[in-house]
């Protein structure tokens, strides 16, 4: 009689996971001690309580702040400390506030206050926007293999044109138009209401040649993908550089490229 044999269970060999390039959750990625933002929790200029950082750019950082007296939340843009000691950059920063506040158009972000603190910090306060930029909207559509519907693209584009028309009528050229500077918010039931941002390198065309120029010879300001040839050459710009950039943006909206 043949005896039945029960096969021994086979234990699979342990599999060593491939090493991950991502740091574990909560792990430090630098040996430098973490730095706390010294502005968080401070009251700036005696009236703006800074609550959190919203973003940061080349020249300054943007914070969520509350006006102590009005109890109104604003976006507070503060010039980086190392730039605050350079008069020409301070003047450029303040020109952004002056240019945007002069336009006074519904499709241009509203600047409500600007100034300096006794400690030498330079800032301006602007309306707090809830939304996202056009770059994010176009990227989301591209990832889905789609284009923005023409009805939406047309509505967005015409609002940007209206904002630029108001700026150009005052002799103000934006000079850095791109989807990242076009913000879409939900306003009175309109989900694609445009707010034009970042007049940081705006040029006032009526400035006399005898006055101090903010753009030194050899310095280029703008974004290459949307920059007109004459702006790239360093020629004196006029309103046509914004028209050129708008052509690039319209091409991007209708082609996805």
């Amino acid at each position: 009689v043949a005896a039945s044999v029960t096969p021994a269970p086979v234990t699979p060999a342990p599999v060593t996971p491939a090493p991950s390039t991502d740091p574990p959750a909560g792990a430090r990625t630098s040996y430098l001690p973490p730095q706390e933002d010294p502005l968080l929790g401070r009251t700036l200029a005696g009236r703006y309580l800074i609550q959190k950082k919203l973003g940061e750019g080349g020249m300054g950082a943007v914070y969520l702040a509350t006006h102590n007296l009005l109890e109104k939340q604003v976006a507070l843009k503060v010039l980086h400390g190392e730039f605050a000691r350079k008069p020409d950059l301070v003047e450029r920063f303040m020109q952004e506030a002056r240019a945007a506040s002069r336009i006074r158009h519904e499709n241009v972000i509203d600047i409500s206050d600007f100034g300096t603190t006794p400690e030498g910090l330079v800032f301006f306060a602007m309306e707090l926007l809830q939304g996202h930029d056009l770059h994010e909207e176009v990227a989301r559509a591209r990832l889905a293999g789609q284009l923005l519907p023409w009805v939406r693209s047309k509505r967005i584009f015409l609002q940007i044109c209206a904002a630029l028309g108001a700026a150009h009528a005052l002799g103000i050229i934006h000079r850095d138009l791109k989807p990242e500077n076009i913000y879409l918010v939900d306003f009175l039931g309109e989900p694609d209401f445009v707010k034009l941002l970042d007049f940081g390198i705006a040029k006032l065309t009526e400035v006399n040649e005898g006055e101090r120029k903010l753009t030194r010879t050899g310095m280029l300001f703008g974004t290459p993908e949307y920059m007109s040839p004459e702006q790239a050459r360093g020629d004196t710009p006029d309103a046509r550089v914004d028209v050129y950039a708008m052509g690039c943006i319209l091409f991007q909206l209708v082609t996805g490229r």
Side-chain angles (χ1 to χ4, degrees):
V1 178
S4 60
V5 178
T6 303
V10 178
T11 304
V15 178
T16 304
S20 171
T21 56
D22 298 326
R28 287 173 57 189
T29 57
S30 171
Y31 291 105
L32 297 175
Q35 290 185 334
E36 292 292 333
D37 192 318
L39 291 181
L40 294 180
R42 282 186 53 188
T43 299
L44 200 69
R47 55 191 180 276
Y48 295 107
L49 176 62
I50 297 179
Q51 295 164 281
K52 72 174 182 178
K53 181 182 284 189
L54 298 176
E56 191 162 4
M59 288 186 65
V62 179
Y63 297 89
L64 171 67
T66 300
H67 193 293
N68 286 341
L69 297 178
L70 301 178
E71 298 182 354
K72 176 183 179 181
Q73 287 190 321
V74 299
L76 203 66
K77 190 168 186 177
V78 182
L79 184 65
H80 287 316
E82 63 268 27
F83 296 141
R85 295 184 289 273
K86 300 179 180 180
D88 56 335
L89 291 179
V90 170
E91 178 61 21
R92 181 175 297 284
F93 185 80
M94 300 307 286
Q95 181 166 287
E96 176 179 354
R98 285 195 295 269
S101 64
R102 281 183 54 186
I103 299 170
R104 300 182 65 83
H105 188 275
E106 63 180 1
N107 294 122
V108 176
I109 191 166
D110 183 54
I111 306 293
S112 57
D113 190 12
F114 57 91
T116 58
T117 70
E119 301 87 359
L121 293 175
V122 184
F123 72 92
F124 62 82
M126 51 191 170
E127 62 179 312
L128 183 65
L129 301 178
Q130 302 290 343
H132 57 275
D133 61 42
L134 182 59
H135 172 79
E136 182 180 330
E137 191 71 28
V138 171
R140 189 183 299 129
R142 185 170 61 245
L143 286 174
Q146 300 172 347
L147 293 174
L148 290 186
W150 170 243
V151 173
R152 291 186 64 198
S153 293
K154 176 183 175 183
R155 188 162 58 240
I156 291 168
F157 188 79
L158 290 178
Q159 289 179 82
I160 308 167
C161 290
L164 281 180
H168 291 173
L170 294 173
I172 299 171
I173 312 166
H174 191 286
R175 293 204 296 174
D176 193 22
L177 282 172
K178 55 185 176 182
E180 291 88 341
N181 286 336
I182 298 161
Y183 214 72
L184 304 178
V185 300
D186 191 331
F187 180 68
L188 298 179
E190 169 57 70
D192 288 328
F193 194 84
V194 165
K195 288 286 186 177
L196 187 56
L197 313 179
D198 199 0
F199 280 81
I201 62 172
K203 181 179 177 63
L204 303 176
T205 56
E206 71 271 18
V207 171
N208 295 325
E209 286 298 314
E211 296 186 21
R212 179 165 57 88
K213 294 183 180 180
L214 292 178
T215 304
R216 296 193 190 97
T217 302
M219 293 180 70
L220 285 180
F221 289 92
T223 301
E225 293 88 341
Y226 305 91
M227 187 184 291
S228 67
E230 67 270 23
Q231 189 176 357
R233 286 195 303 264
D235 296 347
T236 301
D238 58 33
R240 288 174 293 181
V241 303
D242 287 345
V243 176
Y244 181 96
M246 286 302 297
C248 296
I249 292 170
L250 183 59
F251 178 87
Q252 191 172 359
L253 285 174
V254 299
T255 66
R257 295 187 290 116

